[in-house]
Amino acid sequence: MEIWKKIVDACGNTVGVSTAVANMGRGEYGMTYDRDFRLPEGQMMESKEIARLAFADLRLFMEALLSSGDITTLVVFAADMERKAFHLAGVPFDQVDLIDLQREIKRQFRMKHVLSLDRLSRLIEFRVEDASIASAHFRYAIPDQYRYHLEPHRGMGDAARIFLLSREYTERRAEFRAWMRVLIDICEGMRARRAGRRSSRGRWGGEG
């Protein structure tokens, strides 16, 4: 399994990409990515069958989740991959709204760029403590057996970060706006300094 992670600056702008490989069946993570590696044909067919079964499981899970009618909104972050997975699994979304929290925050604050989940997690002071997950205003107890699955960039860890980000954004809007104003001011200052440095280099480079 390939794991792609954007490298972002303090304002959430993408400045690079890092890639690693994991074998979840063997519990192996952080292996070096080899762009020339190809599965043998036999293993390719096997992997396609595993993917088909995984999408079938996803459809069954989502249908069971949504069948009660109690859930009317699903909140995700950077929804492109989720939308693709739900489409491939044939998950029906006729009666459910799918909200991309990353783009919702960008739209709400009229930002040019989206912010990464890492940056927004720092903004809300997300942390994993001995027996809980917490943000600036919310805390939830976590059973001990799940605590070691809450690292960033793993499924359960990112789900926890998105959950608390959603709560801070929707239920502590005044505080969230204040944090965002500070961040936007910092980012605008950084962009102005970068623009000034580029302008200075252009002036010095033009003199002969």
Side-chain angles (χ1 to χ4, degrees):
M1 175 181 178
E2 297 174 9
I3 300 175
W4 293 75
K5 177 185 174 184
K6 291 182 178 179
I7 301 171
V8 298
D9 63 18
C11 295
N13 300 318
T14 301
V15 296
V17 177
S18 66
T19 313
V21 176
N23 186 318
M24 300 178 68
R26 296 199 296 260
E28 298 173 351
Y29 298 90
M31 294 180 287
T32 301
Y33 173 71
D34 179 0
R35 66 175 60 252
D36 296 322
F37 176 78
R38 298 291 184 273
L39 281 174
E41 186 173 343
Q43 292 184 31
M44 179 67 75
M45 297 299 294
E46 181 182 354
S47 68
K48 288 181 177 179
E49 176 62 13
I50 291 171
R52 187 189 68 79
L53 293 173
F55 283 127
D57 284 347
L58 176 61
R59 180 185 174 94
L60 288 174
F61 174 80
M62 294 302 298
E63 286 179 339
L65 187 68
L66 302 175
S67 62
S68 67
D70 295 332
I71 297 174
T72 58
T73 303
L74 290 177
V75 178
V76 297
F77 192 91
D80 291 347
M81 294 301 293
E82 282 83 353
R83 286 195 179 97
K84 183 176 181 180
F86 290 145
H87 174 73
L88 290 172
V91 177
F93 274 99
D94 302 9
Q95 307 298 323
V96 179
D97 291 326
L98 186 67
I99 294 178
D100 183 340
L101 190 55
Q102 184 185 48
R103 296 198 176 277
E104 168 65 16
I105 290 170
K106 176 190 174 186
R107 181 193 64 79
Q108 184 69 30
F109 293 95
R110 300 178 181 177
M111 304 180 71
K112 183 177 180 181
H113 302 284
V114 295
L115 291 170
S116 69
L117 184 57
D118 287 346
R119 187 66 189 87
L120 287 166
S121 297
R122 292 195 296 271
L123 189 74
I124 65 169
E125 301 176 19
F126 176 85
R127 56 202 180 276
V128 179
E129 298 178 337
D130 288 342
S132 64
I133 56 171
S135 60
H137 299 104
F138 301 96
R139 180 183 301 273
Y140 290 87
I142 298 295
D144 188 63
Q145 65 266 33
Y146 298 118
R147 184 159 53 92
Y148 301 100
H149 299 282
L150 293 172
E151 297 176 4
H153 312 293
R154 298 186 66 178
M156 194 177 295
D158 282 352
R161 296 198 293 170
I162 294 166
F163 170 66
L164 286 177
L165 174 61
S166 178
R167 292 216 62 189
E168 293 283 357
Y169 174 71
T170 57
E171 299 179 44
R172 304 300 298 239
R173 185 64 64 90
E175 292 92 335
F176 194 88
R177 284 185 179 279
W179 298 334
M180 286 295 296
R181 281 196 294 270
V182 172
L183 177 60
I184 290 169
D185 287 345
I186 292 171
C187 293
E188 288 178 348
M190 290 175 61
R191 282 194 288 270
R193 287 193 293 273
R194 283 198 296 264
R197 287 196 294 269
R198 286 195 296 268
S199 177
S200 296
R201 286 196 297 268
R203 288 196 300 272
W204 283 105
E207 294 179 1

